[in-house]
Amino acid sequence: MRTILVILLTSLSMHDANAQAWTQLVSGTNSDLKTVHFPTTLVGYAVGVDGTILKTADGGDTWQPTLFDHPGYWFWDVHFTSADTGYVCGESDPGMNPSGAGIVLKTVNGGASWTSCIAGLAYPLRDLFVLDQDT
């Protein structure tokens, strides 16, 4: 019994120490964000509802919307193979289109512009994994 108590107390004290290492960052958006990906230590991207795609170039201290406006979509996942080349996937707004037409977008210029790779699928896309810029 004594050993369990010591392990439990040690675990709790370690948990408190680790919890203090987290820092809350302000995204600058009111949209619900679904995921974030950092291809480098400074450059990162976050995606969410109402077509939200945000970019940071300073490790998350400040976030800016990319030059893409697609309010009819919810983006669920984002993955970049470099600081400039990346993909997002999602679906049309479930409130407007319950069938959730899926979409995949690609950028090669850090989010300045996006092109559709896949659009109008009969099902939502909520996860993606990218091996490299072509796969």
Side-chain angles (χ1 to χ4, degrees):
M1 182 68 164
R2 189 176 232 161
T3 304
I4 293 172
L5 182 59
V6 170
I7 292 172
L8 180 59
L9 290 175
T10 303
S11 296
L12 289 174
S13 65
M14 288 173 48
H15 173 73
D16 289 342
N18 289 334
Q20 293 173 3
W22 289 93
T23 302
Q24 183 175 353
L25 302 175
V26 179
S27 68
T29 183
N30 290 327
S31 295
D32 289 338
L33 298 175
K34 300 299 182 183
T35 193
V36 63
H37 179 79
F38 276 80
T40 72
T41 56
L42 294 177
V43 177
Y45 298 85
V47 299
V49 301
D50 296 327
T52 302
I53 304 175
L54 303 175
K55 179 180 181 178
T56 182
D58 57 14
D61 290 335
T62 60
W63 293 85
Q64 300 297 321
T66 64
L67 300 176
F68 179 76
D69 185 23
H70 217 306
Y73 280 86
W74 287 19
F75 295 123
W76 290 93
D77 203 4
V78 58
H79 188 88
F80 274 70
T81 57
S82 69
D84 292 323
T85 302
Y87 302 82
V88 300
C89 73
E91 64 183 300
S92 59
D93 183 338
M96 299 170 151
N97 183 358
S99 66
I103 190 168
V104 175
L105 302 173
K106 179 181 181 179
T107 184
V108 294
N109 54 16
S113 64
W114 295 84
T115 57
S116 176
C117 297
I118 300 171
L121 295 176
Y123 47 85
L125 297 174
R126 298 209 174 156
D127 264 327
L128 74 110
F129 183 78
V130 181
L131 297 176
D132 58 43
Q133 68 181 12
D134 299 316
T135 309

